[in-house]
Amino acid sequence: MNREMIIVLDFGGQYNQLIARRVRECNVYCEVHPYTLSLEKIREMNPKGIIFTGGPNSVYDETSPHYEGGIFELGIPILGICYGSQLMAYSLGGRVETAPVSEYGRTEVQVDTESVLFKGVEGNTITWMSHTDYIAGLPEGFKATGSTPVCPIAAMECPSRKLYATQFHPEVMHTKEGSKMLHNFVYDICGCSGDWKMSSLAETTIEALREKIGSGKVLCALSGGVDSSVAAVMLSKAIGKQLTCVFVDHGLLRKNEGDEVEAVFGPEGPYELNFIRVNAQERYYAKLKGITEPEQKRKIIGEEFIRVFEEEAKKIGAVDYLVQGTIYPDVIESGLGKSAVIKSHHNVGGLPSVVDFKEIIEPLRMLFKDEVRKVGLELGIPEHLVYRQPFPGPGLGIRIIGEVTAEKVRIVQDADAIYREEIAKAGLDKGLGQYFAGLTNMRSVGVMGDFRTYDYAVALRAVNTSDFMTAEAAELPYEVLFKVTNRIINEVKGVNRVMYDLTSKPPGTIEFE
């Protein structure tokens, strides 16, 4: 398909796909590729612009990733970010050294508002820094366009060669005017017109699925969450009755969720899907008995997840593909490629090495949660399903610290149901990125009536986030937290203490494990 494209070359940072997401928000198609992508392939793809990502290395280290070849001579606009800015400077004859003072987090940068990249940006703007090296000397033909008291070259450019760079990360939401900077790069520097829409992605993905699968049979892992629901509807539109959706109730779902999923996707629901529900609660509890380590729990849940599907596939006979609703935060946090492992996701890093299918298909693998929701609306999926509260594949298994038992699951289900009910009553549900109750592994002494108790502490979590790569704890009204706490302690047997988690991401993750 002939369309405008921006290419992101990945040098190993954690925010790499987030750059592509921001570019897509500008209605310009964007793909992420490894930094080893050849010049020949780049010419063939004919991008309107190229973005170098951040990364954990030092450019002057011989083992660090470099781009071999004349990429700067292609005449294609390039934006270097963080490591990408240092790589640009180093490759073109500038000096990169260990910074006298490292900069991490929220940083005020003074920028040259005459620069096209900073058009419409405040002269002193808030950015997000993360570096121990810095550009100590400019390459020939470049000028500095941004600085901080300890980083004299926080941004640089050579307009005649269409080369631009920022030491900070414009792609993260903590950079106050980062989206404006990327918009300037895409439109004013690269000359894009912005003719790509989310509907285009849905249409092309469905067509690609139809062509790839042909007459094959497909199993879809359906959880009822937005990711697997969108994947299922995509497959339904692509191949119809060749698709069988299998819903595994592993006993780690929210209260009454198994029945709710069946009501929507089962025989009485609005979708023409072959639907199978597998009740595997006892099987999962047995596998998880005595297991406390988070990664081990995730991998057990992931492996059992696949084994159930293999068994269902054998019952159906001759199944060629397994479809999963994996999205990009799952992939990047599982450490695929060059990014550091944060945690394995049940449908990515948790997969066993032997899977009894021809291939696993992940049609949403390159999308963020908000993009998945946009695709869902384009596909005509009802809003109440599209905006359903996010829920991880391992379920309550990673919202229970330590060993998972049926009793602990009951406690979390009851506490979480109360929390979600009160959040909705207060009208806060639509404004939050994610919220849930989890169970700590801590027990403490309490008093109920005239009796001593020694029960569990429940932790409440609520965050604001647009992309699930970074998040901040939500400032919930005290009266809501007070009401939730009272109800949980009074109504949920086995709990005598409730706490609220104020940790952001980073340094924490949204889920507890």
Side-chain angles (χ1 to χ4, degrees), residues 419 432 434 436 440 458-464 471-478 481 498-512:
Y419 186 33
L432 295 172
Q434 192 163 342
F436 59 87
T440 72
V458 162
L460 305 178
R461 184 92 162 115
V463 299
N464 293 317
E472 294 180 341
E475 296 182 24
L476 296 184
Y478 178 78
L481 290 174
V498 176
M499 300 179 288
Y500 186 63
D501 184 355
L502 287 169
T503 313
S504 63
K505 175 187 180 181
T509 57
I510 293 177
E511 297 292 342
F512 290 139

Side-chain angles (χ1 to χ4, degrees), residues 91-108:
S91 301
L92 295 174
R95 287 187 297 112
V96 177
E97 300 174 355
T98 301
V101 179
S102 299
E103 287 180 305
Y104 291 98
R106 186 180 186 274
T107 306
E108 185 175 285

Side-chain angles (χ1 to χ4, degrees), residues 115-280:
S115 168
V116 177
L117 187 65
F118 301 124
K119 184 182 74 174
V121 174
E122 295 289 331
N124 289 298
T125 188
I126 300 301
T127 70
W128 188 260
M129 288 281 199
S130 181
H131 69 100
T132 54
D133 292 338
Y134 77 147
I135 300 170
L138 289 166
E140 185 178 349
F142 280 75
K143 67 176 181 178
T145 55
S147 65
T148 74
V150 298
C151 184
I153 308 173
M156 67 176 190
E157 65 179 41
C158 181
S160 63
R161 300 179 67 181
K162 303 177 184 176
L163 302 178
Y164 297 80
T166 64
Q167 180 60 67
F168 55 84
H169 290 270
E171 70 274 21
V172 303
M173 65 181 180
H174 303 292
T175 296
K176 185 178 178 181
E177 300 176 278
S179 293
K180 190 180 295 183
M181 299 171 196
L182 290 172
H183 187 278
N184 290 343
F185 177 72
V186 168
Y187 281 88
D188 297 330
I189 296 171
C190 299
C192 293
S193 60
D195 58 359
W196 182 76
K197 308 293 181 186
M198 195 58 68
S199 57
S200 305
L201 177 67
E203 292 166 7
T204 54
T205 301
I206 289 168
E207 182 56 40
L209 288 169
R210 187 179 294 123
E211 182 178 341
K212 179 180 182 66
I213 295 167
S215 60
K217 288 186 178 181
V218 179
L219 273 182
C220 178
L222 180 64
S223 70
V226 62
D227 303 333
S228 64
S229 295
V230 170
V233 174
M234 269 190 170
L235 266 294
S236 177
K237 289 181 178 291
I239 59 170
K241 290 295 185 179
Q242 295 165 235
L243 170 68
T244 298
C245 290
V246 177
F247 167 56
V248 178
D249 186 346
H250 48 28
L252 304 172
L253 299 171
R254 289 170 288 204
K255 191 170 185 177
N256 302 324
E257 193 159 38
D259 294 337
E260 292 171 3
V261 171
E262 185 168 2
V264 173
F265 290 100
E268 305 303 318
Y271 302 106
E272 293 185 10
L273 299 171
N274 297 314
F275 179 84
I276 297 173
R277 177 174 178 175
V278 182
N279 293 311

Side-chain angles (χ1 to χ4, degrees), residues 265-322:
F265 290 100
E268 305 303 318
Y271 302 106
E272 293 185 10
L273 299 171
N274 297 314
F275 179 84
I276 297 173
R277 177 174 178 175
V278 182
N279 293 311
Q281 294 92 331
E282 296 306 318
R283 176 172 174 170
Y284 272 85
Y285 294 156
K287 287 282 184 179
L288 292 168
K289 186 176 182 180
I291 306 299
T292 60
E293 204 280 319
E295 278 295 289
Q296 194 176 359
K297 286 199 289 186
R298 283 176 172 272
K299 290 185 181 297
I300 287 172
I301 294 169
E303 179 157 355
E304 207 60 21
F305 177 83
I306 292 295
R307 294 296 159 247
V308 171
F309 275 89
E310 287 180 338
E311 292 167 12
E312 293 305 317
K314 288 174 183 175
K315 294 176 186 176
I316 298 167
V319 173
D320 301 292
Y321 299 96
L322 170 65

